[in-house]
Amino acid sequence: MYNHIKEIVADAEKTEKPISELIIEQECKLSGLSREKVWNKMKYNLETMRAAVSKGSTGKGVFSHTGLTGGEAIKIKNYREKGYTLSGDFMMEAVQNAVATNEVNAAMGVICATPTAGSSGTLPGILFMLEKKLDLNEEQMIRFLFTAGGMGLVIGNNAEIAGATGGCQAEVGSASAMGAAAAVEIAGGTPAQSSQALAIAMSNLLGLVCDPIAGLVEVPCVKRNAIGAGNALIAADMALAGCTSVIPADECIDAMKKVGHQMPVSLRETGIGGLAGTPTGQAIKTRIFEKDV
Amino acid sequence: MLLENDYFTLYNKGNGRFSLKIFLCRESKMENRFKSVFDIIGPVMIGPSSSHTAGAVAIGREGNKLFGGVPKKVTVHYYGSFAQTHRGHGTDYAIAAGILGFTTSDLRVPKAPEIARKRGIDIRFVEEKGESPIHHPNTAILDMTDGHKRVQLAGCSIGGGAIEIRRLVIHDIVVEPSGTLPIVLLIDPERKIKNQRFLTSFLQQKAPFNESRIYKSPDYYIYEYAIQNYFKPSLIGELKKKYKNIVCL
């Protein structure tokens, strides 16, 4: 199994295979399953993601039981339809997809964790936008997920992907880095550029704390996925432009782990510090748990 | 008397009897906590949290597997982030769903406590204040019983729905796996080390392992293996056919 990003890049360059192919081969070897089985498993995940994006962006949208989140993917959709956005329609489409997915998650709908449920909007956010922008077929979209997953495996095994151990940088930060690397491949960039995009995306979200109000995966998680998606696209574009990260990808991952472990417990998914600790955050917690949701 | 090092540990069970842990081998290889791309892209699950909901389902499911079915009474002890946020994350219904044997994407997951109650299964949740005994902020310890048999499983949710099982108590024997799944346990009432040798050579061929340990008490021996990669489903069937008292976590 690949233990470092640099090994993946070196192998991809040596074999002249895309990263997605190396990860598919690795998965077949590790699991003993046929290529077809492995492929279909990822296809099922892709279909789950598509259904969640669609559910959150249809009609009035979805709303969580607490009323804290919901309906904002629809607001973004309506805003886009007016034809003028500051950051561009494709960017806001990615944001809409990301928010839609996490609203479905907060409403206890079915999602695919990528890498976690709290960060489940980031990858579909950019993937279903790129589907339209780059006219991707299903095979390319499945390959996107293998590349993202292979990068995520290295992150998970060398650092953290849980908010409770690494903060939000380990969830949305990892998702964003995975998405940036996969976006580069799907846009025709090199494996080395994928690694640069990962490093840039991860560096830019380093230190992000996990501070959910009332401990719920709602505020700020839903909107954090918007920044995860946006940051992934920015990092991918920068890498495709030839920008490089001064700190190599593997060292960025190590730094993320150390920063996560240095974070106080109150900022690691305990619902105590950060936004959760504000007067409003505390008041919401009291209100929700009096009702005993 | 208490000896503690990597290879040999003696537990005083407090009733004048001892159990013994013998560490057999460890490969120098780095052990990866996440073993499949589908640990990262996946699982497909009912929200809202992969570590507090999907991971909690997984801990409950391992409890079900270890117990060999649904226990009559379960007390769940929460530590750290689990203790702080289990209500908001649906951790309670997730653990209950796992104990009933449901998967993470089963639409009955949020209704699991109700279903358990109707089946006469008593599940209680306790928020513990202290440090997790298995040193992880997302810890749940399951005490399970059916009146005769008592089994304990200490699991932690390490992110994205993946879990580790770091401590088990079976027949009063404390089993301390390295944590990462899969884990194979053989509970041997015959206490014959040749049973361990047979299983070891079988696994060496079919499911290579990183570490193995033997736990001994006056009544049982338990052989534990930390398996390298996830099982193929057919292998679990094969093991269960061969061994009556085998547990595959």
Side-chain angles (χ1 to χ4, degrees):
Chain A
M1 187 191 265
Y2 293 112
N3 289 321
H4 298 98
I5 302 293
K6 63 180 176 201
E7 293 164 15
I8 300 180
V9 173
D11 233 21
E13 284 172 350
K14 196 177 81 194
T15 59
E16 295 184 354
K17 286 178 186 170
I19 293 172
S20 53
E21 187 57 34
L22 300 179
I23 303 306
I24 294 166
E25 287 170 5
Q26 170 177 276
E27 189 63 27
C28 292
K29 209 169 138 196
L30 286 175
S31 66
L33 295 174
S34 68
R35 187 185 176 95
E36 192 192 356
K37 282 228 167 90
V38 166
W39 185 266
N40 286 339
K41 261 177 124 169
M42 196 58 98
K43 189 173 158 180
Y44 171 62
N45 288 344
L46 177 68
E47 283 160 4
T48 304
M49 290 177 203
R50 188 188 292 284
V53 166
S54 159
K55 194 174 177 195
S57 303
T58 307
K60 290 187 171 144
V62 292
F63 294 84
S64 70
H65 298 305
T66 61
L68 281 181
T69 54
E72 294 202 317
I74 298 296
K75 285 184 185 164
I76 299 164
K77 187 182 171 191
N78 294 341
Y79 172 69
R80 281 177 53 221
E81 276 168 8
K82 290 183 188 150
Y84 183 79
T85 61
L86 295 177
S87 50
D89 189 55
F90 280 117
M91 179 62 86
M92 288 316 289
E93 186 176 358
V95 167
Q96 179 192 316
N97 295 338
V99 169
T101 302
N102 276 81
E103 286 181 342
V104 168
N105 179 61
M108 293 185 189
V110 179
I111 54 99
C112 178
T114 56
T116 64
S119 58
S120 60
T122 297
L123 284 189
I126 55 179
L127 180 54
F128 292 99
M129 179 280 284
L130 290 175
E131 180 187 21
K132 288 186 197 162
K133 189 175 169 78
L134 302 177
D135 196 18
L136 301 179
N137 60 27
E138 188 184 75
E139 188 198 324
Q140 290 171 300
M141 295 177 81
I142 290 172
R143 283 191 176 274
F144 175 100
L145 294 177
F146 276 112
T147 303
M151 296 302 198
L153 261 181
V154 174
I155 297 171
N157 283 327
N158 287 286
E160 304 287 354
I161 58 164
T165 49
C168 191
Q169 55 160 12
E171 297 204 27
V172 168
S174 298
S176 192
M178 289 154 52
V184 165
E185 178 176 313
I186 219 74
T190 64
Q193 285 173 328
S194 280
S195 151
Q196 295 296 344
L198 182 147
I200 294 167
M202 181 152 279
S203 308
N204 289 356
L205 293 182
L206 217 56
L208 195 60
V209 299
C210 180
D211 52 350
I213 289 177
L216 302 167
V217 192
E218 296 204 48
V219 181
C221 320
V222 171
K223 291 186 180 74
R224 289 256 169 91
N225 278 270
I227 205 63
N231 179 56
L233 290 170
I234 292 167
D237 264 335
M238 288 175 75
L240 288 164
C243 301
T244 53
S245 170
V246 171
I247 309 299
D250 291 304
E251 290 183 43
C252 292
I253 293 169
D254 290 343
M256 187 268 271
K257 178 184 189 172
K258 287 198 183 108
V259 170
H261 292 183
Q262 283 162 355
M263 272 182 199
V265 169
S266 63
L267 299 175
R268 285 193 271 123
E269 206 172 353
T270 45
I272 297 170
L275 296 174
T278 59
T280 303
Q282 289 293 311
I284 291 171
K285 182 179 179 182
T286 308
R287 173 176 66 77
I288 288 172
F289 289 124
E290 268 174 7
K291 281 198 301 187
D292 205 17
V293 166
Chain B
M1 181 176 87
L2 187 79
L3 294 170
E4 173 101 37
N5 63 41
D6 241 355
Y7 302 97
F8 187 78
T9 311
L10 207 55
Y11 291 96
N12 185 342
K13 295 186 327 195
N15 53 2
R17 299 170 82 181
F18 291 89
S19 74
L20 182 69
K21 173 172 96 175
I22 306 165
F23 191 91
L24 290 177
C25 68
R26 172 182 281 165
E27 288 201 359
S28 57
K29 238 188 203 170
M30 169 173 166
E31 193 181 22
N32 287 315
R33 302 184 294 167
F34 297 95
K35 301 184 174 188
S36 159
V37 73
F38 300 109
D39 288 343
I40 303 293
I41 310 294
V44 169
M45 56 170 282
I46 312 282
S49 164
S50 46
S51 28
H52 294 67
T53 321
V57 173
I59 291 173
R61 282 174 65 84
E62 298 307 326
N64 176 300
K65 285 188 213 164
L66 181 67
F67 198 81
V70 183
K72 281 210 177 88
K73 186 167 181 230
V74 185
T75 309
V76 181
H77 303 268
Y78 289 131
Y79 292 86
S81 174
F82 266 23
Q84 296 285 343
T85 69
H86 67 105
R87 286 203 290 174
H89 281 129
T91 311
D92 298 358
Y93 66 66
I95 296 235
I99 287 167
L100 293 172
F102 298 171
T103 63
T104 51
S105 61
D106 193 317
L107 293 170
R108 295 173 297 175
V109 166
K111 300 250 178 290
E114 226 180 290
I115 297 169
R117 230 181 346 262
K118 279 186 191 152
R119 290 195 200 164
I121 302 152
D122 178 2
I123 308 179
R124 285 163 207 215
F125 302 94
V126 185
E127 290 170 13
E128 301 288 354
K129 292 233 162 18
E131 174 88 1
S132 156
I134 56 167
H135 314 293
H136 195 281
N138 292 335
T139 294
I141 299 184
L142 277 50
D143 274 314
M144 298 171 282
T145 180
D146 60 3
H148 311 286
K149 182 164 60 163
R150 301 187 76 84
V151 172
Q152 190 189 74
L153 175 139
C156 55
S157 188
I158 61 168
I163 60 161
E164 289 184 2
I165 304 299
R166 295 189 181 171
R167 200 166 52 122
L168 305 159
V169 184
I170 312 160
H171 300 301
D172 284 341
I173 300 174
V174 179
V175 176
E176 291 179 319
S178 59
T180 316
L181 298 177
I183 298 164
V184 166
L185 299 165
L186 181 65
I187 299 153
D188 182 10
E190 290 178 0
R191 288 172 288 124
K192 285 188 178 146
I193 219 69
K194 77 168 199 294
N195 292 337
Q196 189 268 347
R197 279 197 215 109
F198 281 130
L199 179 58
T200 299
S201 64
F202 179 79
L203 289 173
Q204 273 165 345
Q205 286 167 30
K206 301 268 184 152
F209 52 88
N210 288 330
E211 297 175 7
S212 83
R213 297 176 190 81
I214 299 176
Y215 302 83
K216 293 181 173 181
S217 84
D219 307 312
Y220 294 93
Y221 287 179
I222 296 179
Y223 317 126
E224 176 238 317
Y225 300 84
I227 307 293
Q228 270 173 21
N229 295 318
Y230 290 131
F231 299 117
K232 282 190 229 172
S234 60
L235 185 67
I236 296 180
E238 211 175 319
L239 279 167
K240 289 208 164 149
K241 227 165 105 187
K242 260 176 124 72
Y243 296 98
K244 201 176 92 196
N245 292 325
I246 202 147
V247 178
C248 303
L249 300 178

